[in-house]
Amino acid sequence: MHVQRFLASAWASVHGPSDPRRLLLSVLEARFAGLAMAPGPRALDAGALSAAAADLPLEFAGTRANDPLSDHSATAGFPSGREGERQLARRAVHDAVLTARAVGNPLVVLDVGVVPVVGDVLAEDLGDPQVRWTKETADALLARRKVGRNAAVDRVCRGLFECIRDYPEIQFCLTQSRSLRGVLDVAAMRDICEDLASKKLGYWHDAAICARRQQVLAEPAGEWLEIFGNRCRGMSLGDASPDGLYLPPGAGGVDYGMLATYVPNSGAPLPVVLELDVSVPASELPGMRSCLDKFGL
């Protein structure tokens, strides 16, 4: 395998010990290279974890600015027309930068938020098992999203420019939103990369969300990697179905064989993060490892 496999901190914080060193030891015992940091159900002290890792053969992967297990992203307001909402999103980015600095890996994975729409939104979370998406319901929300799409992309470009300017040592990697209103689709990613062509902007592939978008919108999940594979700095691995996101690998529609074809054969190993819903029991870890081993992930 030319990958380095990490465990997402949200799941680990719930199922692992509360003591930082014992938590990291449990991650190593489970045969992971280390943790990928993100906000989650239980707060983790990045400084304490970094100190506890000082004499351990453990690394930290990229830091995610939002909790992927939550139906509300802390960075949802990144493209908002309201200054207060943009400030809240920028605060979440700043917090992620502080975490990335504390653990010694200057990579921040960023969901650039949702397109503002007029009126109430009854359903938008692709990971909500209570929502049974149809083409009609998805198309109706996408039509509302289309109205504010261009302005949202413009604000994202301005916001990213400021982030790159303010934190020049950080590698920002864009990733998908679990909201159907998410700014980032393939076309928006293209536009953002063109607008910020002179900046070091990366891509982080969320396999579960891409699979869910394929199931709901018939978007080819591999299109993201086909177009932006040269920018890919890592992947979040977890499965997806109408029953939810971040299921155990093999329990949904993610094509792991396809993902493996985009792993580079040389150079530094590609970080891959096992991202799991906290309802997944620890007893399933051996089976999940076997599934990923089968595909070289």
Side-chain angles (χ1 to χ4, degrees), residues 9-11 13-14 37-44 66-70 278:
S9 64
W11 187 90
S13 71
V14 171
M37 301 296 289
R42 183 164 71 84
L44 294 176
N66 68 295
D67 176 4
L69 305 185
S70 172
V278 294

Side-chain angles (χ1 to χ4, degrees), residues 91-111:
R91 188 176 305 163
V93 174
H94 179 69
D95 290 345
V97 168
L98 293 181
T99 297
R101 288 171 175 167
V103 299
N105 186 344
L107 188 151
V108 169
V109 180
L110 181 57
D111 162 13

Side-chain angles (χ1 to χ4, degrees), residues 149 184-196 223-224 227-228 231:
R149 182 267 188 197
L184 204 70
D185 57 12
V186 168
M189 182 72 179
R190 271 201 185 104
D191 290 345
I192 293 167
C193 290
E194 288 176 6
D195 189 83
L196 300 173
E223 184 179 17
W224 291 88
I227 299 171
F228 308 112
R231 294 178 180 267

Side-chain angles (χ1 to χ4, degrees), residues 48 176 189-190 214-215 233:
Q176 295 82 8
M189 182 72 179
R190 271 201 185 104
Q214 179 168 305
Q215 292 160 5
R233 301 294 178 265

Side-chain angles (χ1 to χ4, degrees), residues 7-16 38-42 67-70 178 244-248 274-284 288:
L7 185 61
S9 64
W11 187 90
S13 71
V14 171
H15 292 271
R42 183 164 71 84
D67 176 4
L69 305 185
S70 172
R178 58 188 291 155
L245 290 170
Y246 307 117
L247 307 175
L274 182 58
E275 187 77 62
L276 297 170
D277 187 87
V278 294
S279 65
V280 177
S283 60
E284 294 197 31
M288 291 186 279

